[in-house]
Amino acid sequence: QVQLVESGGGVVQPGGSLRLSCAASGFTLGYYAIGWFRQAPGKEREGVSCIGSLSNTYYADSVKGRFTISRDNAKNTVYLQMNSLKPEDTAVYYCATVLVVAGCRPDDYWGQGTQVTVSS
């Protein structure tokens, strides 16, 4: 059974950092592109960052220079390091399998999401 489980969300002050993890089970994550998406209340879901099987990456303009995506295929896990967090980064963050890395076009498998709140 394919499963993606996110962890690492929480409450952080502006300027702080968090690292999200996306652990995969039921498939070999190294063969797949994986992405991080987020959805804030009242807003559409957006692709934040994606990473291909060859570690090619994509970042949304809003997070470039602040977020870093990486993968550890031995641990079947993808990470999203988020630095210099802003209140507008507040959202539920999801990981998902990805069809196309450029632009983060999602595929069928999604995690349950983890809440990130940036507030003073």
Side-chain angles (χ1 to χ4, degrees), residues 7-111:
S7 61
V11 180
V12 63
Q13 292 186 343
S17 298
L18 284 173
R19 188 177 80 155
L20 304 184
S21 298
C22 172
S25 60
F27 69 104
T28 302
L29 183 138
Y31 294 144
Y32 290 83
I34 301 293
W36 286 96
F37 301 79
R38 67 186 181 187
Q39 187 164 23
K43 294 188 176 181
E44 292 188 355
R45 184 186 66 201
E46 64 170 333
V48 174
S49 181
C50 290
I51 186 166
S53 58
L54 299 179
S55 293
N56 48 311
T57 58
Y58 163 88
Y59 294 94
D61 287 343
S62 58
V63 306
K64 280 181 182 176
R66 300 189 297 123
F67 290 10
T68 302
I69 193 170
S70 61
R71 63 193 306 155
D72 186 337
N73 293 335
K75 294 183 178 180
N76 237 28
T77 301
V78 170
Y79 303 98
L80 185 68
Q81 178 68 43
M82 305 187 296
N83 298 330
S84 302
L85 283 161
K86 304 176 181 179
E88 51 263 44
D89 294 317
T90 296
V92 178
Y93 284 70
Y94 301 89
C95 65
T97 53
V98 166
L99 284 174
V100 180
V101 172
C104 275
R105 181 180 172 189
D107 200 352
D108 292 334
Y109 298 105
W110 291 80

